[in-house]
């Protein structure tokens, strides 16, 4: 009888969508997320967008917490889930994370300060400044070599986990085939592009290069170096490529 009472008490303490306060604050949490996401596409300045975004995210987290009451542990987990979940797209696609007066973002154009962006867009910027290249090793997608290679460690680790499990189970499905082809093409494409445009091996990111080599049991290193040698011998440079557009110095090379 005692255990039944405890079970009923625990069940009643769990929030359900049928409870009015849970439903209302769950809907409000979704509205907060919508407001935060919508701020990305509005036409206001970056500082205003940032304020609206984080107000929406924080509001969604608070509403998620209240919706989970009386289970405060679930509420705290909900708050962290919503907050951290929105930090990920904010880092990879916006300049909305600003700590210590510095924007923390994945892309170079987002991580530049608002003042620097205004200065670069000003009509009075001199030719020398416009043609400068503060990130000479960055990829054409607007990502520094260091960030790109750290992210590639994650990509190779995920791919290798899938391949290792497939080898252990002796079961090769289409997901495994895609993982293998994807890692091979990524290795060859990276190396050929780096060599064609005159960069060093791994654009100087030797620590990440070694880690990926270990993760892939040397397979990545072998593919990369072979393709790198080929790229040096038969470079392929297109004027339409992002790499060509990102770095003015490439304009002096024969396409």
């Amino acid at each position: 009888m005692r255990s039944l009472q405890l079970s009923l008490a625990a069940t009643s303490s769990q929030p359900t969508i049928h409870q009015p306060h849970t439903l209302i604050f769950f809907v409000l949490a979704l509205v907060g997320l919508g407001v935060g996401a919508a701020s990305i596409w509005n036409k206001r300045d970056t500082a205003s967008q940032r304020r609206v975004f984080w107000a929406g995210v924080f509001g969604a987290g608070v509403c998620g917490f209240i919706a989970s009451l009386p289970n405060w542990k679930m509420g705290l987990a909900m708050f962290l889930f919503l907050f951290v979940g929105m930090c990920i797209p904010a880092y990879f696609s916006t300049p909305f994370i600003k700590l210590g007066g510095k924007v923390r973002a994945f892309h170079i154009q987002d991580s530049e300060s608002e003042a620097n962006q205004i200065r670069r867009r000003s009509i009075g910027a001199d030719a020398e400044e416009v043609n400068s290249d503060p990130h000479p090793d960055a990829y054409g997608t607007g990502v520094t070599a260091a960030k790109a290679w750290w992210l590639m460690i994650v990509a190779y680790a995920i791919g290798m986990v899938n391949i290792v499990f497939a080898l252990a189970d002796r079961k090769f499905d289409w997901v495994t085939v895609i993982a293998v082809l994807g890692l091979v093409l990524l290795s060859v494409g990276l190396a050929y592009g780096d060599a064609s445009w005159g960069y060093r091996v791994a654009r100087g990111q030797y620590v990440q290069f070694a880690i990926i080599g270990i993760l892939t049991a040397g397979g990545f290193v072998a593919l990369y170096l072979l393709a790198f040698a080929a790229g040096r011998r038969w470079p392929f440079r297109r004027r339409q490529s992002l790499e060509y557009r990102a770095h003015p110095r490439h304009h002096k090379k024969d396409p």
Side-chain angles (χ1 to χ4, degrees), residues 86-162:
M86 291 299 285
C87 283
I88 295 174
Y91 176 75
F92 282 98
S93 59
T94 76
F96 294 166
I97 299 178
K98 190 173 184 179
L99 301 172
K102 184 176 181 180
V103 175
R104 313 288 177 172
F106 185 65
H107 292 93
I108 294 170
Q109 61 268 29
D110 290 331
S111 60
E112 290 180 338
S113 66
E114 287 89 343
N116 194 33
Q117 289 176 3
I118 294 173
R119 178 171 53 83
R120 283 177 175 275
R121 293 169 186 164
S122 63
I123 299 176
D126 56 36
E128 182 180 354
E129 184 177 357
V130 172
N131 292 326
S132 64
D133 193 355
H135 305 281
D137 293 334
Y139 283 90
T141 53
V143 181
T144 63
K147 290 180 180 177
W149 277 86
W150 283 118
L151 185 62
M152 279 187 277
I153 291 177
V154 178
Y156 277 91
I158 294 173
M160 288 304 299
V161 166
N162 184 282

Side-chain angles (χ1 to χ4, degrees), residues 34-43 49 52-53 86 89-90 93-96:
V35 170
S39 67
I40 298 175
W41 294 284
N42 69 31
K43 302 300 182 181
Q49 286 179 294
V52 173
F53 178 84
M86 291 299 285
S93 59
T94 76
F96 294 166

Side-chain angles (χ1 to χ4, degrees), residues 7-241:
S7 178
L8 290 174
T11 302
S12 63
S13 67
Q14 298 300 321
T16 66
I17 203 68
H18 302 293
Q19 297 174 350
H21 93 276
T22 299
L23 178 60
I24 292 172
F25 283 100
F26 178 75
V27 172
L28 289 176
L30 294 179
V31 172
L33 291 178
V35 170
S39 67
I40 298 175
W41 294 284
N42 69 31
K43 302 300 182 181
R44 305 177 70 180
D45 60 282
T46 302
S48 297
Q49 286 179 294
R50 184 182 293 118
R51 286 193 293 269
V52 173
F53 178 84
W54 289 115
V57 171
F58 184 78
V62 171
C63 289
F65 177 85
I66 297 175
S68 302
L69 295 176
N71 190 332
W72 67 269
K73 292 182 179 179
M74 180 183 292
L76 182 59
M78 180 64 71
F79 179 89
L80 293 175
F81 174 78
L82 293 175
F83 190 82
V84 175
M86 291 299 285
C87 283
I88 295 174
Y91 176 75
F92 282 98
S93 59
T94 76
F96 294 166
I97 299 178
K98 190 173 184 179
L99 301 172
K102 184 176 181 180
V103 175
R104 313 288 177 172
F106 185 65
H107 292 93
I108 294 170
Q109 61 268 29
D110 290 331
S111 60
E112 290 180 338
S113 66
E114 287 89 343
N116 194 33
Q117 289 176 3
I118 294 173
R119 178 171 53 83
R120 283 177 175 275
R121 293 169 186 164
S122 63
I123 299 176
D126 56 36
E128 182 180 354
E129 184 177 357
V130 172
N131 292 326
S132 64
D133 193 355
H135 305 281
D137 293 334
Y139 283 90
T141 53
V143 181
T144 63
K147 290 180 180 177
W149 277 86
W150 283 118
L151 185 62
M152 279 187 277
I153 291 177
V154 178
Y156 277 91
I158 294 173
M160 288 304 299
V161 166
N162 184 282
I163 293 171
V164 168
F165 275 108
L167 289 173
D169 297 337
R170 296 184 180 181
K171 182 180 180 181
F172 299 92
D173 53 15
W174 62 271
V175 175
T176 305
V177 173
I178 290 176
V180 173
L181 290 177
L183 294 184
V184 170
L185 291 176
L186 180 59
S187 304
V188 173
L190 280 172
Y192 207 93
D194 289 346
S196 293
W197 292 106
Y199 290 99
R200 296 172 292 171
V201 170
R203 303 204 179 194
Q205 305 304 309
Y206 302 123
V207 173
Q208 299 95 308
F209 183 80
I211 293 174
I212 296 175
I214 294 171
L215 289 173
T216 58
F220 167 78
V221 173
L223 283 173
Y224 185 97
L225 294 180
L226 286 173
F228 191 87
R232 282 287 177 87
R233 179 67 178 83
W234 301 286
F236 182 66
R237 310 184 187 106
R238 297 174 63 250
R239 291 181 182 271
Q240 296 80 11
S241 70

